[in-house]
Amino acid sequence: MYVVKSPLSDADLRTVADALQGALVDLIDLSLVAKQVHWNVVGPRFRSVHLQLDEVVDVARLHSDTVAERASALGVPPDGRAASVAAGSGIGNVADGWVKDTDAVGTLVAALGAVITRMRERVAVTGDADPVSQDIFIGITAELEKHHWMFQAENV
């Protein structure tokens, strides 16, 4: 049953729905990973890394809402439940306990890199199916790449 009927064809909607759902779980997980590391970072660069992590949390949360609302607008119910995020995220596991500042930076470089790679795939598959969703993915990717660069620069 459709509550909201999408203007996209069924085939295009399947492609876009998969891309939106994948982006949603990646962004939710990115926010959780960044917050987990934020709470546990230690070391001489604690304050700067701690604050930078919160910036990533804010960006991921903002964009997860944008992605979920785009899915809803197309008649696709977004799924941000913990089990769905755990099963679908492209981000690897994060160690528990205290995290040295240099390791925290490395963790975020890896997490952002994984999400960016998958976002770029979504940009590619949604171009013909739905340029509006593709535009959202392009904007998200650009912002995540900025944070990826900034974290990489921390450990040079």
Side-chain angles (χ1 to χ4, degrees):
M1 175 182 98
Y2 287 107
V3 174
V4 176
K5 179 65 177 128
S6 171
L8 302 178
S9 71
D10 287 345
D12 286 346
L13 184 59
R14 275 190 297 281
T15 298
V16 174
D18 288 347
L20 289 166
Q21 181 59 36
L24 179 61
V25 299
D26 280 350
L27 290 166
I28 291 171
D29 200 22
L30 179 60
S31 74
L32 295 171
V33 165
K35 192 51 104 168
Q36 177 67 25
V37 175
H38 164 91
W39 292 323
N40 290 286
V41 66
V42 295
R45 294 180 301 154
F46 161 80
R47 182 162 172 74
S48 64
V49 173
H50 183 79
L51 295 173
Q52 193 175 0
L53 288 162
D54 262 346
E55 292 175 10
V56 173
V57 171
D58 291 344
V59 163
R61 287 179 179 168
L62 173 71
H63 289 307
S64 66
D65 194 53
T66 299
V67 166
E69 289 181 356
R70 178 65 184 158
S72 293
L74 293 175
V76 177
D79 185 356
R81 296 172 298 160
S84 300
V85 172
S89 175
I91 300 173
N93 290 331
V94 176
D96 62 348
W98 302 117
V99 181
K100 182 151 176 45
D101 52 6
T102 53
D103 295 336
V105 168
T107 297
L108 260 291
V109 167
L112 285 161
V115 174
I116 289 165
T117 296
R118 289 166 50 114
M119 281 297 174
R120 286 186 160 276
E121 292 168 1
R122 294 175 186 117
V123 167
V125 301
T126 56
D128 291 333
D130 183 24
V132 175
S133 294
Q134 182 192 46
D135 186 56
I136 291 169
F137 293 137
I138 290 169
I140 293 169
T141 303
E143 196 158 3
L144 294 177
E145 286 178 345
K146 179 184 79 170
H147 287 285
H148 190 241
W149 154 59
M150 289 180 171
F151 272 104
Q152 289 181 81
E154 287 275 345
N155 275 349
V156 174

